[in-house]
Amino acid sequence: MTDQRGDARRNTRGRQRGAARAAGRTQRGAQAPSARARTSDPPRQAAFEVLRQVAEDDAYANLVSASVLARHRLHGRDAGFATELAYGTLRMRGRYDAVLALVVDRDLDRLDPAVLDVLRLGVHQLFAMRVPEHAAVSSMVGLARNQVGTGPGQLVNAVLRKIAAEPVETWLDRAEAAAADNADARLAVRWSHPQWIVRAMREALITHGRSSDELVDLLAADNEPPRVTLAARPGLITTADLADQVNGTPGPLAPTAVVLPGGDPAASAAVSEGTAGVQDEGSQLVALLLATADIDAPDTTWLDMCAGPGGKAALLGSLAAQRGAHLVANEQASHRVRLVKTAVRALPSVEVRTGDARDIGTTEPATYDRILVDAPCTGLGALRRRPESRWRRTPADLTPLSTLQRELVASALRAVRPGGVVAYVTCSPHLAETTLVVTDAIRAAAKTGTAITIVDPTPTLHHLCPHTDLTDALTPSGALQLWPHRHNTDAMFLTLLQRTP
């Protein structure tokens, strides 16, 4: 679970500015509103607005894009074009900025941010979309004139025409050559990742038992839009029935997963009723591993410590209801509590609580049979899904997050009863958020006289995925580490920890 405690602040600021955007941004050019309306290109305008909200409001693209598309009344191909333009530009910003730096006659940070976003949108159309050169250039010149003014429109015209005059690979080779003289810097340019993330991914691959030769494939996979996957919630709908309803296919990993061929998942009756939910297949699998891990009786009291936004809680809650167990879904942030309640609306047996999960180990010691710690993290494993997050996160985020992760695991190991199991999960392969947290948690528990063992997930994996070999996802430390380039999932990490009876 990525750290989204700032969601409420972002959304509030976005709503405050929404009315102004709906009426049209204050223009610095001389065009009249009527002229702007006649030359407006709604899909490109929508993509531009998403980029500006991400930059100005610290918003998440997936949270603002729906309202922007609705405001422009975009559907079907137009909505798809706007979404790909916005998301693709956000993902590839690093690559495009490296190319633009070769052409623009000043430092990019001296450009008006709105002009820079127009240029990025233009380069994405030239480099990665089937848009004719004249359409990409002229549409961005018009957008710049409408949004900023005539002078910036001339700059956009000159820059994009110069870039369009030569092949993509020529520009990428030049941008790589202009980067610092080391492999990570060149990879950062070509694959549009901050250099610190490139370095962290290489270290994670090696430590988790893979080859650094896979790094390029991993970075490339981060730049591909993820497939849309639904989770069929057991006892509410079967995987087969869900697949028939949405014309989907069963996922290869989680037995609850259905992969959609396209379209809007929210349009399905199962999603609207809460019997199914949109959920990455790796996210489903880690929840199923916790629910299926072998423990001695009793097995009646389960806990999701950090339940927002609620996908794993709904899956666990449906499984708990089938077994006569009770799930407590705890979440600290009030706006995320509302998301959890929405996710579990078809499961009245799930108890949703608001509280600091770090206190549970003290207030409810040795209480729970199964505990999920889906810890707030950098979200580096979901870069496909959150295109702006790679530019928003910094190495400075690791220290406070890893501290919180250790505190949450310590609380869970106190709250689980002897013989019970804790699943420590992050959507990040970064070593500071995965193996190091687990190692420190076991060491800290030992100092209090509590013995913790790592549970081998292999037997449970074989039970859940009898037709898929996931041995390549097992790490030397006894954890599960999924990868987008290998398993077509987010890079979910899981370690099962059992408190010794």
Side-chain angles (χ1 to χ4, degrees), residues 102-156:
L102 300 175
V103 181
V104 177
D105 61 357
R106 70 201 75 169
D107 291 341
L108 296 187
D109 57 11
R110 293 177 56 199
L111 283 177
D112 185 311
V115 175
L116 182 54
D117 274 344
V118 172
L119 288 170
R120 290 165 174 162
L121 291 167
V123 177
H124 185 65
Q125 291 172 77
L126 293 171
F127 279 15
M129 299 181 74
R130 296 178 180 177
V131 177
E133 173 189 325
H134 71 275
V137 175
S138 63
S139 64
M140 292 300 98
V141 171
L143 183 62
R145 288 174 175 168
N146 287 343
Q147 294 300 313
V148 190
T150 302
Q154 294 172 343
L155 170 68
V156 168

Side-chain angles (χ1 to χ4, degrees), residues 82-391:
T83 300
E84 161 54 23
L85 181 53
Y87 277 52
T89 301
L90 287 168
R91 286 190 190 97
M92 306 309 295
R93 193 186 87 179
R95 173 187 289 183
Y96 299 158
D97 283 3
V99 171
L100 287 167
L102 300 175
V103 181
V104 177
D105 61 357
R106 70 201 75 169
D107 291 341
L108 296 187
D109 57 11
R110 293 177 56 199
L111 283 177
D112 185 311
V115 175
L116 182 54
D117 274 344
V118 172
L119 288 170
R120 290 165 174 162
L121 291 167
V123 177
H124 185 65
Q125 291 172 77
L126 293 171
F127 279 15
M129 299 181 74
R130 296 178 180 177
V131 177
E133 173 189 325
H134 71 275
V137 175
S138 63
S139 64
M140 292 300 98
V141 171
L143 183 62
R145 288 174 175 168
N146 287 343
Q147 294 300 313
V148 190
T150 302
Q154 294 172 343
L155 170 68
V156 168
N157 182 62
V159 170
L160 293 183
R161 287 191 180 282
K162 185 170 184 179
I163 291 174
E166 299 194 61
V168 174
E169 282 300 320
T170 299
W171 286 114
L172 294 184
D173 289 345
R174 290 176 184 173
E176 281 191 45
D181 189 21
N182 66 79
D184 288 349
R186 292 188 292 272
L187 289 172
V189 167
R190 180 166 287 271
W191 300 107
S192 195
H193 285 64
Q195 190 172 335
W196 76 272
I197 294 181
V198 172
R199 186 165 51 250
M201 291 300 190
R202 175 186 285 107
E203 294 172 353
L205 283 167
I206 295 170
T207 302
H208 292 313
R210 308 202 67 87
S211 170
S212 62
D213 293 341
E214 298 181 30
L215 180 58
V216 168
D217 290 339
L218 172 57
L219 299 176
D222 280 346
N223 293 332
E224 293 296 323
R227 63 187 184 182
V228 179
T229 308
L230 301 184
R233 291 161 182 168
L236 301 179
I237 190 171
T238 66
T239 303
D241 286 345
L242 178 60
D244 288 342
Q245 182 183 123
V246 300
N247 193 30
T249 56
L253 305 182
T256 52
V258 172
V259 180
L260 267 65
D264 180 8
S268 73
V271 172
S272 63
E273 294 165 1
T275 59
V278 179
Q279 189 174 10
D280 176 73
E281 191 169 11
S283 176
Q284 296 179 48
L285 185 60
V286 295
L288 293 171
L289 281 166
L290 169 64
T292 313
D294 188 28
I295 64 171
D296 295 332
D299 188 14
T300 58
T301 310
W302 300 6
L303 171 66
D304 185 347
M305 290 185 74
C306 310
K312 296 183 184 70
L315 188 53
L316 289 172
S318 62
L319 292 166
Q322 283 191 312
R323 299 190 207 170
H326 176 67
L327 175 70
V328 175
N330 179 81
E331 173 57 47
Q332 184 175 15
S334 59
H335 70 287
R336 291 171 68 79
V337 169
R338 292 192 292 272
L339 295 176
V340 175
K341 289 180 178 179
T342 299
V344 302
R345 63 191 180 280
L347 296 161
S349 60
V350 175
E351 177 185 352
V352 181
R353 292 183 187 173
T354 303
D356 190 332
R358 291 170 291 186
D359 298 331
I360 296 176
T362 301
T363 59
E364 298 180 273
T367 298
Y368 295 95
D369 305 303
R370 299 180 191 267
I371 298 179
L372 174 65
V373 183
D374 185 15
C377 67
T378 57
L380 298 186
L383 296 181
R384 308 176 305 162
R385 205 171 302 281
R386 288 284 177 84
E388 71 286 328
S389 63
R390 69 185 72 184
W391 313 116

Side-chain angles (χ1 to χ4, degrees), residues 477-495:
S477 65
L480 177 81
Q481 178 64 69
L482 299 171
W483 298 98
H485 68 294
R486 293 291 300 175
H487 310 108
N488 203 10
T489 69
D490 292 345
M492 301 296 300
F493 171 88
L494 168 141
T495 296

